[in-house]
Amino acid sequence: MKTADFIALEDRYGAHNYHPLDVVIDRGEGVWVWDVEGKKYMDLLAAYSAVNQGHCHPRLVKSLIEQSERLTLTSRAFRNDALGPFYKYLSELTGFEKVLPMNTGAEAVETAIKAARKWAYTVKNTPRDQAEILVFSNNFHGRTTTIVGFSSEEQYREGFGPFTPGFRIIPYGDFDAITEAMHANVAGILAEPIQGEGGIIVPPDGYLRHLRDLADEHRSLLIFDEIQSGLGRTGKLFAYQHEEVRPDIVILGKALSGGLYPVSAILADDEVMGVFHPGDHGSTYGGNPVAASVGMTALKVLVEEELIENSRNLGEQALSRLRQLDSPHVKEIRGRGLWIGVELHPEAGGARRFCEALQHQGVLCKETHDHVIRIAPPLVIQQAELNWALDRIEGVLGADSAEASKAEPAVAVA
Ligand SMILES: *Cc1c(COP(=O)(O)O)cnc(C)c1O
């Protein structure tokens, strides 16, 4: 079967809830993927930062296979021998006392919301059903009905109501707006320390510190969703470390398994995690042995292969190189570590046509919010590979028309 046949099958039998680039991938290794025609591409999306450790990392594959030959699922009704060591490693790496594992990112966000509310009622003594959680415009926290209920993206909400009450949307990056929104019943402030799906929006300096101070002043919890920004993407273990603040709850997902398997978790200290008692919350697959083994190896790969440092070093280089680019299409270039957003002028005709032009040159990117090209390669990327990709990005952005570059054949170097 060829590309068109696979696409036809997906379109015929699958729900049309995505609009993917028309490339059908059948193999991946490190920063590279191959399509069913045998064409090679560099992956500059890394599955929205789930594949920070690179495609099919041999250590992760080994861990998945070895664990799945031995034991895969006990449910949490029984204990398993992989979970404790994973908890310990994650806790010691991050400095949080406790871990609560789930599967997808959205489930971990839901878990953080439940933790914050229960903490408000049982520790802070907020009157019953009065707890409020402040969230931000342009947020992305997942797709459950509760979560889309506090999205500011109309399409995410349209047709899915009625929504869960108890959330308020505050403009992101605005010091005064959040200050004024605080009150005694705010159980938590839920924020992405850098907004990913929103277009790689880095908040103004001091903003995360401001959130911390407000949370302390009003005795609210500060909750950072690090599902996309965390685990090395921004050149630090967590994006909040760029401001040296410590949240009360951290939400992890995506790269926590290096792309092999859905693994998510929340981290918190005893005061917050202690609100959960047996029966309060759970998940059949959450904390299963395969997840725990793969999760532990994914963290070890990040640390032992120095991927966080690589993200910081190569990210700085990429950012300064792109900022020198003289392109009529580029409005702003921003980012931290290997997480860069190239925002185009509205007149450029949208980011998608540039992503399609890059696809023809062997580079896979995904636009976000129509006008932003997101550059987020697996963190195992090497200097020469990054330069190769930047050459192509500069070529496409510098060209008079993205169409022109489509004529060039797909080429890729190792
Ligand atoms: C991807 C993402 C989520 C949702 O994770 P899923 O695994 O898709 O449910 C939540 N928050 C952020 C910041 C994300 O990037």
Side-chain angles (χ1 to χ4, degrees), residues 104-158:
T104 64
E107 283 176 304
V109 171
E110 293 270 357
T111 302
I113 292 166
K114 286 170 93 172
R117 285 179 167 181
K118 193 133 202 235
W119 174 87
Y121 299 127
T122 58
V123 179
K124 189 181 171 179
N125 290 321
T126 298
R128 192 190 163 99
D129 288 346
Q130 295 301 302
E132 189 170 63
I133 293 180
L134 303 183
V135 299
F136 294 92
S137 52
N138 211 28
N139 72 68
F140 184 82
H141 298 289
R143 299 291 201 155
T144 64
T145 46
T146 287
I147 293 171
V148 298
F150 58 78
S151 173
S152 57
E153 191 71 19
E154 203 38 49
Q155 195 199 350
Y156 294 176
R157 302 162 48 89
E158 185 52 39

Side-chain angles (χ1 to χ4, degrees), residues 18 48 103-109 140-144 147 192 194 196-197 225-229 251 253-254 262 264 339 374:
Y18 276 91
Y48 303 89
N103 310 285
T104 64
E107 283 176 304
V109 171
F140 184 82
H141 298 289
R143 299 291 201 155
T144 64
I147 293 171
E192 295 157 89
I194 293 178
E197 294 313 293
D225 179 345
E226 291 264 9
I227 291 172
Q228 194 166 157
S229 58
I251 309 170
K254 297 204 166 108
S264 67
W339 209 27
R374 158 179 24 205

